[in-house]
Amino acid sequence: MVLAFLVGGFLHAELAPLAAFLPVGITLMLCITFIGLDVKQLKPTWMHLLLLLVLQFMAFAFWLVALYAGYPVLAESLYYCAAAPVASAAPVIVNLLRGNTAFITTAMVLSQAVFAIMTPIILPFVVDAPGLGYTDFLLLVLYQLMVALGAPAIISVLLRVCYPPCKLWAPKLRDYSLAIWIVNLTIVSAAGTHRLLLQNYSFSDIWPIALGAMLICAIGFIGGYWLGYPRLKRECSQALGQKNTILTLYIAGQPYATPLAYIGPAFYVFFHNIANAIQLSFALREQKRALKQ
């Protein structure tokens, strides 16, 4: 991950034009996830509904607080961080934590669906885009999300119907999914760095957004832990903390978005991976203690 950011940062001018291919990378990653998805195992519960409500509440709360404090760009950036759906990597982390993968997989799918529905409706209010009317803005965002989220779902369904054995491809393709994620991250880093350098932002412009992203990340992981305590503490922590940042960076990197707001979800990538490392470390300690006993 660090290498991807460094390469993207140093080669921003050369790699930034590749941002046009981000939807392809997102589609491929989600196709690999959806192909191996067993719909029969998706069992929504009241806790899933609560998690979805908390995700939406956090997005609105951080956006409104920053907006009424007089910082519209900060508000936009924090909205991207808080509204992001559960990452497709969350079930992998929960599996390593020996948690309930069926629960987190259901949360991931539901959050992606809610994000696809809510974002086109809400984003025109969040982003100040002169020249774009509400309806035009809504349709533009809806089209972009249908390309990023709808296309993988349709392709996966068609593959599963036409060739059922394709379900077995998912475990074999996980390494390729990781490689695609790293490539996407490199391109995202390049595009973000290029846009920021063109705008000549100062450190005083950047640090409040980075601090806000860290705060949202901490609240997500810690709040989710207590919300799901004791049976679903790790699952809920992942659901509220582990975000699909590639998807939100794709949205935040569009021409209608404020360039500075892009920094929030970019920093979030670092913070939620640090949180994952801490969680995995604690889980490993618990497993060692259990073995000794």
Side-chain angles (χ1 to χ4, degrees), residues 88-202:
S88 55
V92 178
I93 300 297
V94 168
N95 183 51
L96 292 173
L97 296 172
R98 297 185 179 181
N100 188 335
T101 54
F103 178 89
I104 192 64
T105 301
T106 303
M108 178 197 71
V109 174
L110 292 176
S111 69
Q112 304 266 4
V114 170
F115 183 80
I117 294 169
M118 294 297 294
T119 303
I121 299 171
I122 302 301
L123 203 61
F125 295 106
V126 175
V127 180
D128 181 18
L132 267 179
Y134 178 83
T135 303
D136 293 334
F137 202 156
L138 184 150
L139 293 175
L140 176 60
V141 177
L142 181 64
Y143 168 75
Q144 290 168 339
L145 285 175
M146 286 303 98
V147 171
L149 291 174
I154 294 171
I155 293 171
S156 301
V157 169
L158 291 175
L159 279 172
R160 288 168 67 102
V161 170
C162 299
Y163 187 67
C166 72
K167 300 174 186 178
L168 304 176
W169 293 352
K172 301 175 182 178
L173 293 174
R174 282 175 185 166
D175 289 341
Y176 293 99
S177 181
L178 177 61
I180 295 168
W181 180 76
I182 292 172
V183 171
N184 285 345
L185 204 57
T186 305
I187 295 173
V188 160
S189 174
T193 302
H194 194 63
R195 293 184 75 189
L196 288 175
L197 290 177
L198 289 176
Q199 299 295 326
N200 294 318
Y201 291 117
S202 65

